[in-house]
Amino acid sequence: MTVTSPCTGICKLDDATGWCLGCGRSGDEIGFWGSETEGWRAQVWDLIPQRLRHLGVAGHRLPWTTQEIRAFVATSLEQQTGTWVMGVVGAVAEFKAPPDTPVDVTVQGDHVIARTRNGALRMLINEEVRALAFDPPDQGAHPRILLAAKRERGRLPVSRGVADLGEDRESLLPDRGNALFDLGLCRKEARFCVRVAEGAAKEALQRASGLPIAEGLSQIGAALLAESPTRIVETALGRIEVQGQIPGPNARSPDGSHTHLLPDHLETGRALPVGMDLPRAYLPGAIFWRTALPS
C-alpha cells in the first residue's frame, strides 16, 4: 500500500527543532520522501504526532489513502459511532440516527450515501480529499476527524443573499422536485439551503430574494418555522439533508439529524471551531465527532 505524504501546505521549518510546522517532518525527511522506501516513510509517519504536539500544533494529517478515508466514512455510518457535521460556525447540519434507528449506507463509486429517519448524507471522497485529526480540548476524549478538500476543487457558488436555485435535482430525501433556496451565507466554505413546496414559506423566500441572511431571516423565519421544510447544508464534500420540525428558539434539538442556524454565531466569521484551523490550501468538508455533541 502506498504511504501518502503528510504535507498540509504549510511549509515552514521551526527554528528550534528543524521540524516543519505543517507536517512535522525534518528538512531531510521532506527532501528524501520521494526516493525512500515505503517502510521508511511509515516510520516517519509514526513520529509525526508526537513532534506536532511538541510544536503545539493541534491538528495533523492522517496517513490514510483515499480508499481508507472512504472506508472510515462508510464504517462510521454503518456502526453509528458518532456524528458527521457539515457547515460553518453558526450554520451546520448534523447527521446522526435517532436511538434504535438503522442507517442505510451505500458506496457508489467515489460517493458514500447514507439515509436514516429524517436525515440523509452524501459525501464525495476522491483523491482531492484529505483527513486530519485534531486533538480534543479535554483529556481522554477522542480526536476530532476533519475531512477537507483542496481549495481549488472545493469552491461552492457563493450567494450574497436569498436566492432561488430552481428545482433541486440532487435531493436525497423524498421531496424531489421542490424548489431549492440558498439563504445567502456568503461563505466559500458552505451554504445553507431549504427545499420548499408551494406555500407560504416559498412565497416569503421569493419576497426576500437578494436580502442578506441577517435581514432575510427576519422576513422568512416565521414561515420556515411553521412549515419546517427540508434543510440542506452543502460543502466541498457534499451535503446533509434534514427533515422534521424545526425547534423553537428555546426548544431542545431533536435526537438524530438536525440543523442549527444561529446568526450571532455566524458573525464570528469562523469556518471551524476554535482550535481547528486549516491550512489555506484546503476547504473544510465535514467533521466527525465520536462523542455526542451537546444540544
Side-chain angles (χ1 to χ4, degrees), residues 43-60:
Q43 289 177 345
V44 175
W45 263 112
D46 289 341
L47 299 171
I48 286 173
Q50 183 176 355
R51 290 178 179 179
L52 290 177
R53 283 194 292 270
H54 177 81
L55 292 168
V57 178
H60 60 275

Side-chain angles (χ1 to χ4, degrees), residues 16-180:
T17 64
W19 298 328
C20 176
L21 294 169
C23 70
R25 293 176 294 175
S26 69
D28 285 345
E29 288 165 347
I30 293 169
F32 296 147
W33 191 263
S35 59
E36 282 286 356
T37 65
E38 296 288 271
W40 180 88
R41 287 193 282 267
Q43 289 177 345
V44 175
W45 263 112
D46 289 341
L47 299 171
I48 286 173
Q50 183 176 355
R51 290 178 179 179
L52 290 177
R53 283 194 292 270
H54 177 81
L55 292 168
V57 178
H60 60 275
R61 187 172 165 186
L62 295 168
W64 294 353
T65 64
T66 302
Q67 292 75 19
E68 287 171 328
I69 297 173
R70 195 179 300 127
F72 171 77
V73 173
T75 300
S76 70
L77 291 164
E78 290 167 350
Q79 298 182 357
Q80 302 184 38
T81 53
T83 301
W84 281 100
V85 181
M86 290 185 180
V88 296
V89 173
V92 299
E94 302 176 15
F95 180 87
K96 183 180 181 181
D100 302 318
T101 304
V103 177
D104 177 52
V105 182
T106 58
V107 179
Q108 299 177 359
D110 291 341
H111 286 92
V112 180
I113 301 169
R115 294 181 176 88
T116 189
R117 191 177 74 211
N118 295 344
L121 171 150
R122 180 173 60 227
M123 272 199 263
L124 173 63
I125 308 297
N126 62 16
E127 294 183 355
E128 304 296 317
V129 176
R130 304 288 183 262
L132 297 94
F134 286 84
D135 294 332
D138 300 325
Q139 291 288 338
H142 292 285
R144 297 159 289 179
I145 306 299
L146 171 65
L147 301 185
K150 289 185 177 180
R151 181 174 290 264
E152 62 268 21
R153 177 219 119 163
R155 295 182 182 276
L156 291 169
V158 176
S159 176
R160 299 185 179 279
V162 177
D164 186 348
L165 303 181
E167 180 183 346
D168 185 7
R169 300 182 181 276
E170 303 293 328
S171 58
L172 301 170
L173 292 173
D175 56 343
R176 183 179 297 275
N178 287 344
L180 187 69

Side-chain angles (χ1 to χ4, degrees), residues 238-260:
R239 63 165 54 186
I240 292 175
E241 299 187 8
V242 175
Q243 292 181 335
Q245 182 64 44
I246 299 174
N250 298 315
R252 180 182 180 275
S253 296
D255 292 331
S257 301
H258 58 275
T259 57
H260 295 281

Side-chain angles (χ1 to χ4, degrees), residues 226-239:
E227 292 190 16
S228 291
T230 302
R231 286 84 72 196
I232 300 121
V233 173
E234 293 185 322
T235 70
L237 263 62
R239 63 165 54 186

